[in-house]
Amino acid sequence: MRTMQLDVHDDDRTRRAYEALAASRVFGRPWFEPSSFTEVAIDWRHEDKAEPKEIWVAEDGGDVAGVATLFLPMEDNTSMAWFDLHVHPEHRRRGHGSALMDRMAERAQDAGRACLLTEIMVPVDEPDHGYRRFIERHGYSLNNTEVMRHLDLPVADDHLSRLDSDTRPRWEGDYRLETHVNGVPEPLRESLCEVMNQLIVDAPTGDIEFEPESVNPARYQEYLDVEREMGRQRLTTVAMNDTGEVVAYTDLVLPVGAPSTVWQWGTYVHREHRGRRLGMAVKLENLGRLQVDHPQRQRVITGNDGTNSWMVSINEALGFRIVELCPAYQRKLA
Ligand SMILES: CC(C)(COP(=O)(O)OP(=O)(O)OC[C@H]1O[C@@H](n2cnc3c(N)ncnc32)[C@H](O)[C@@H]1OP(=O)(O)O)[C@@H](O)C(=O)NCCC(=O)NCCS
């Protein structure tokens, strides 16, 4: 058994690493559709200068048994590192996970990081699940827990209209909504990046205090280019005030390898514009567009911190139901 950094341009090994990752993600989660090999390979091969990543694999007699991806943010939150670690179900409980875990800590320490973060997906009713035992045994403590919810599509039009008529009077006249496919137009990008960068600060994340992110229009374009290469679609609804600045946004992403699934990414309303139901407004508009343009998609997946009552109440009103938990763990490095 050994761990080594994956050469992401070696197609054969990259595919085997992908297979271990996909098998692990699906294990015990029959509804889960993994991203395609192409999407994952493009992601692994994309050199993101703002957040470089290292992909490590654990080998078992020439086979790839497990894979871990370490992210080292360089432009914000530079005292932190985060990672994702998976062992193929057929290779579990033989030490591969622990070997990769040690490698992540070593690499983060070498990069001068003080705090290492990771997340797991576990059933709602198993507080002593093996994944929790694994991670706690490696010196991590629970930071916060996101509750993962699914929304079955399509949502009935009359339900959406009712929510719309309940909320529209609160914002109409002062704000304008627009939905864009695969990125907003140039004039909106600066203010969109500003609100996107605040999301990590304001969303509840336990004891960890994150700095604002540092996405700018150039990086935004870079991410859109990667998504286009993957074949993904992104639906963005923004709310703008009378000066044409983005004050709220929401993103839905349609992966290629997961043809039934839609991922809810960020939703954020600027602090000075809260209390006007803009969160619900942008979500309703985006969802409406999704249902018309992509009727084959069957579910939207979202995760919210258990204490984020504002966002949770919007999602519950839309009809999201709880499916699993995503506890986030942290470990301080010496
Ligand atoms: C958690 C995971 C990485 C462990 O990989 P692994 O190769 O089995 O890990 P190791 O062999 O080094 O350690 C296994 C230990 O983890 C715990 N554990 C892991 N899965 C378990 C399970 N299903 N039941 C009970 N204990 C389990 C036990 O303490 C076990 O030790 P034991 O076999 O001596 O009882 C793997 O199960 C996995 O890929 N899970 C899905 C993704 C995930 O949760 N990743 C963790 C992010 S850090």
Side-chain angles (χ1 to χ4, degrees):
M1 183 190 18
R2 59 179 188 152
T3 58
M4 58 192 289
Q5 203 166 344
L6 176 70
D7 170 4
V8 291
H9 297 288
D10 176 337
D11 284 337
D12 177 53
R13 298 200 66 68
T14 302
R15 184 172 284 280
R16 285 199 264 160
Y18 164 77
E19 279 161 9
L21 172 73
S24 171
R25 286 207 165 129
V26 169
F27 187 70
R29 304 164 74 217
W31 68 86
F32 183 80
E33 296 178 312
S35 299
S36 67
F37 170 68
T38 306
E39 287 169 288
V40 172
I42 289 170
D43 179 37
W44 283 351
R45 287 169 187 165
H46 169 232
E47 285 180 31
D48 183 351
K49 289 200 174 57
E51 197 172 286
K53 54 186 160 308
E54 293 181 4
I55 295 113
W56 287 79
V57 290
E59 290 200 330
D60 196 345
D63 229 11
V64 175
V67 53
T69 311
L70 178 69
F71 298 89
L72 296 163
M74 302 301 278
E75 293 183 3
D76 54 68
N77 295 289
T78 53
S79 64
M80 302 185 191
W82 34 86
F83 70 94
D84 183 45
L85 190 168
H86 285 271
V87 174
H88 192 297
E90 286 167 16
H91 292 279
R92 289 185 183 174
R93 304 189 81 169
R94 287 185 218 151
H96 296 297
S98 299
L100 285 168
M101 211 54 169
D102 292 347
R103 188 63 77 184
M104 295 294 99
E106 233 172 75
R107 296 296 302 147
Q109 215 148 12
D110 287 352
R113 307 299 161 128
C115 183
L116 196 47
L117 308 169
T118 190
E119 297 174 345
I120 55 175
M121 292 288 182
V122 287
V124 177
D125 52 359
E126 285 186 53
D128 195 28
H129 192 277
Y131 301 167
R132 290 186 188 266
R133 290 221 292 280
F134 170 79
I135 200 159
E136 283 160 12
R137 179 166 148 177
H138 284 277
Y140 286 74
S141 54
L142 181 66
N143 184 58
N144 64 301
T145 300
E146 289 213 341
V147 179
M148 304 303 299
R149 291 179 170 82
H150 292 186
L151 178 67
D152 296 320
L153 300 177
V155 181
D157 287 341
D158 62 341
H159 183 60
L160 294 180
S161 320
R162 212 166 30 247
L163 290 171
D164 183 54
S165 30
D166 287 351
T167 47
R168 187 171 284 271
R170 299 282 294 273
W171 59 266
E172 199 162 37
D174 293 330
Y175 301 94
R176 193 158 50 85
L177 304 186
E178 279 181 9
T179 301
H180 297 282
V181 180
N182 295 343
V184 303
E186 196 62 47
L188 300 181
R189 292 189 177 185
E190 192 77 47
S191 57
L192 174 65
C193 288
E194 275 171 37
V195 290
M196 288 171 101
N197 287 334
Q198 294 302 317
L199 174 64
I200 194 170
V201 180
D202 286 6
T205 44
D207 292 337
I208 297 178
E209 284 200 19
F210 288 100
E211 297 168 5
E213 290 197 272
S214 51
V215 178
N216 55 28
R219 246 169 94 192
Y220 179 72
Q221 182 61 53
E222 189 181 322
Y223 295 148
L224 294 176
D225 291 343
V226 172
E227 285 166 20
R228 183 160 26 80
E229 197 187 340
M230 291 173 171
R232 286 183 182 169
Q233 289 210 59
R234 185 199 289 231
L235 298 186
T236 306
T237 296
V238 290
M240 287 167 297
N241 61 9
D242 50 9
T243 65
E245 306 247 298
V246 172
V247 302
Y249 85 101
T250 190
D251 271 329
L252 290 171
V253 173
L254 287 72
V256 179
S260 307
T261 302
V262 178
W263 299 326
Q264 172 70 60
W265 281 9
T267 300
Y268 185 81
V269 180
H270 189 283
R271 294 174 201 105
E272 286 164 25
H273 300 271
R274 295 192 186 150
R276 305 287 304 269
R277 299 291 185 270
L278 287 173
M280 178 61 98
V282 290
K283 280 202 148 189
L284 280 172
E285 193 77 10
N286 225 23
L287 191 56
R289 178 65 170 267
L290 171 73
Q291 296 201 152
V292 170
D293 289 359
H294 302 279
Q296 76 286 9
R297 299 277 164 169
Q298 290 169 18
R299 83 188 65 89
V300 182
I301 297 184
T302 194
N304 306 109
D305 188 273
T307 64
N308 192 346
S309 52
W310 171 78
M311 199 68 244
V312 168
S313 66
I314 292 176
N315 288 334
E316 283 177 341
L318 285 166
F320 278 88
R321 62 190 162 79
I322 296 176
V323 173
E324 59 185 339
L325 299 179
C326 175
Y329 285 85
Q330 60 159 318
R331 185 183 152 192
K332 298 271 185 277
L333 298 172

